[in-house]
């Protein structure tokens, strides 16, 4: 991971951000402080606040402020088929994999659901059966994912034929069709502090979230994700999230950003990483 080369920056929380842990339970020691401070500065500008103390006071006073700050600091940029060439590589890897009656997939920082629906469409195109668990730490963004409504500009990464096949026109945008939607189950899950699902997955997609965390937390998460894969299962990370020591988690790089879980028969799945 590009950011993985920044080494262990230590998990001492920035004292300026301690109120975020107190008010909204954010695991601040795991996040890189500059990213969070930048997000807070943007939020304060938008809301006419000039200091963190002012922000803190508003958050203490009003739960609505707490909800809005949480939603703002967890960055939700996403897109259907984001970085398309990587989805092409995933297709290649799926074709190289042992056949399964149903693919069990986890989209582990799913944002507004575009990623989970991309997975559903990709498996639909490949005529493979799939069930998808889509999780995110932010309940609000998952609310919008569950609604399944997207503005026209959100659909720009999709060919017209996919738009026609999987979406119905709605005022101001389009709504995902029930047949695609029912492939996905949404659930709130914070990768830093919540228990992970116990069912093993054939594919875990965890893209563009590890970059926000310090190295030790990223490594711990990657180890835990690998431990949730079946042998031969695939881990799909973001394009800048290159693992330095994939073998420590039983992972073998197969194509850029795509790793195969091949645990050594002598090792426990996540040895040394939990
Ligand atoms: C930049 S978006 C990436 C969305 C999607 N994976 C993609 O690549 O298009 C990052 C997502 O991670 C979520 N997130 C941030 N911290 C998280 C955490 N500790 N656990 C789970 N999700 C988190 C945010 O709410 C946001 O929806």
């Amino acid at each position: 991971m590009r950011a993985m080369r920044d080494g262990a920056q230590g998990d001492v929380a920035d004292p300026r951000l301690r109120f975020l842990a107190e008010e909204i339970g954010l695991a601040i020691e795991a996040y890189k402080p500059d990213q969070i401070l930048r997000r807070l500065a943007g939020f304060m500008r938008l809301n006419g606040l000039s200091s963190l103390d002012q922000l803190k006071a508003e958050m203490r006073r009003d739960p609505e402020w707490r909800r809005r700050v949480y939603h703002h600091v967890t960055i939700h940029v996403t897109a259907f088929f984001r970085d398309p060439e990587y989805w092409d590589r995933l297709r290649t890897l799926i074709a190289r994999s042992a056949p399964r009656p149903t693919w069990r997939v986890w989209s582990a920082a799913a944002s507004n659901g575009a990623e989970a629906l991309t997975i559903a469409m990709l498996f639909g195109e490949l005529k493979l059966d799939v069930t998808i668990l889509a999780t995110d730490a932010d309940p609000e963004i998952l609310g919008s994912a569950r609604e399944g409504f997207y503005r026209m500009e959100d659909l720009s990464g999709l060919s017209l034929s996919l738009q026609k096949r999987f979406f119905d026109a709605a005022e101001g945008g389009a709504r995902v069709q029930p047949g695609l939607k029912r492939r996905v189950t949404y659930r709130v899950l914070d990768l830093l502090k919540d228990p992970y699902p116990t069912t093993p997955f054939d594919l875990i997609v965890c893209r563009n979230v590890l970059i926000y965390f310090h190295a030790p937390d990223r490594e711990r998460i990657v180890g835990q994700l690998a431990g949730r894969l079946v042998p031969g299962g695939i881990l799909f990370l973001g394009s800048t999230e290159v693992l330095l020591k994939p073998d420590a988690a039983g992972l073998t790089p197969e194509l850029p950003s795509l790793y195969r879980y091949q645990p050594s028969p002598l090792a426990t799945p996540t040895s040394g990483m939990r």
Side-chain angles (χ1 to χ4, degrees):
M1 166 173 304
R2 187 171 64 200
M4 278 209 170
R5 293 192 185 100
D6 60 17
Q9 296 171 18
D11 51 9
V12 181
D14 186 317
R16 288 170 297 174
L17 298 178
R18 214 166 276 146
F19 73 101
L20 291 178
E22 290 158 10
E23 301 300 328
I24 55 175
L26 198 73
I28 46 163
E29 58 301 328
Y31 287 86
K32 295 184 201 159
D34 323 356
Q35 310 254 18
I36 303 276
L37 285 166
R38 253 200 312 274
R39 295 297 289 174
L40 287 180
F43 182 85
M44 292 196 303
R45 234 184 352 264
L46 282 174
N47 290 282
L49 302 179
S50 52
S51 73
L52 286 175
D53 281 341
Q54 246 184 322
L55 177 66
K56 204 180 333 181
E58 292 295 356
M59 288 172 71
R60 291 220 164 119
R61 194 180 56 77
D62 186 350
E64 178 58 12
W65 276 83
R66 296 201 282 279
R67 184 195 61 72
R68 289 176 55 210
V69 169
Y70 188 87
H71 185 62
H72 197 86
V73 293
T74 49
I75 301 157
H76 302 110
V77 181
T78 190
F80 290 101
F81 289 96
R82 182 176 187 181
D83 305 322
E85 65 279 20
Y86 289 87
W87 292 97
D88 290 339
R89 291 182 187 126
L90 176 64
R91 281 190 188 90
T92 307
L93 220 54
I94 291 170
R96 280 188 207 160
S97 301
R100 297 142 158 82
T102 297
W103 280 74
R104 285 153 306 174
V105 183
W106 179 15
S107 164
S111 187
N112 70 2
E115 181 176 274
L117 294 172
T118 297
I119 298 164
M121 285 185 270
L122 184 140
F123 278 85
E125 283 181 298
L126 295 172
K127 302 197 186 333
L128 294 171
D129 195 39
V130 67
T131 59
I132 302 157
L133 172 68
T135 63
D136 198 282
D138 181 9
E140 189 172 341
I141 198 71
L142 280 184
S144 117
R146 280 193 192 98
E147 251 181 60
F149 172 82
Y150 297 90
R151 294 165 306 162
M152 281 327 282
E153 59 265 36
D154 296 333
L155 300 184
S156 59
L158 288 178
S159 66
L160 275 182
S161 74
L162 284 179
Q163 291 186 28
K164 276 198 191 139
R165 183 166 161 202
F166 292 117
F167 290 83
D168 293 321
E171 200 183 325
R175 199 167 284 287
V176 63
Q177 287 182 356
L180 194 70
K181 199 175 178 192
R182 78 181 148 70
R183 299 273 166 198
V184 188
T185 306
Y186 292 100
R187 194 193 305 165
V188 175
L189 187 150
D190 187 324
L191 289 166
L192 292 163
K193 25 183 223 197
D194 290 334
Y196 286 20
T198 46
T199 350
F201 295 93
D202 302 295
L203 165 66
I204 298 177
V205 181
C206 183
R207 302 178 75 212
N208 306 305
V209 65
L210 298 176
I211 38 169
Y212 300 117
F213 305 143
H214 288 308
D217 296 286
R218 292 190 302 248
E219 278 163 31
R220 179 172 54 83
I221 291 173
V222 167
Q224 286 182 290
L225 294 177
R228 298 307 184 277
L229 282 169
V230 297
I234 300 167
L235 177 65
F236 183 11
L237 300 180
S239 56
T240 60
E241 296 165 333
V242 180
L243 299 180
L244 291 183
K245 292 186 207 145
D247 48 323
L251 295 164
T252 310
E254 251 190 70
L255 290 171
S257 299
L258 287 155
Y259 299 84
R260 185 87 71 177
Y261 181 53
Q262 318 269 25
S264 139
L266 299 176
T268 51
T270 57
S271 58
M273 299 212 62
R274 273 195 235 225

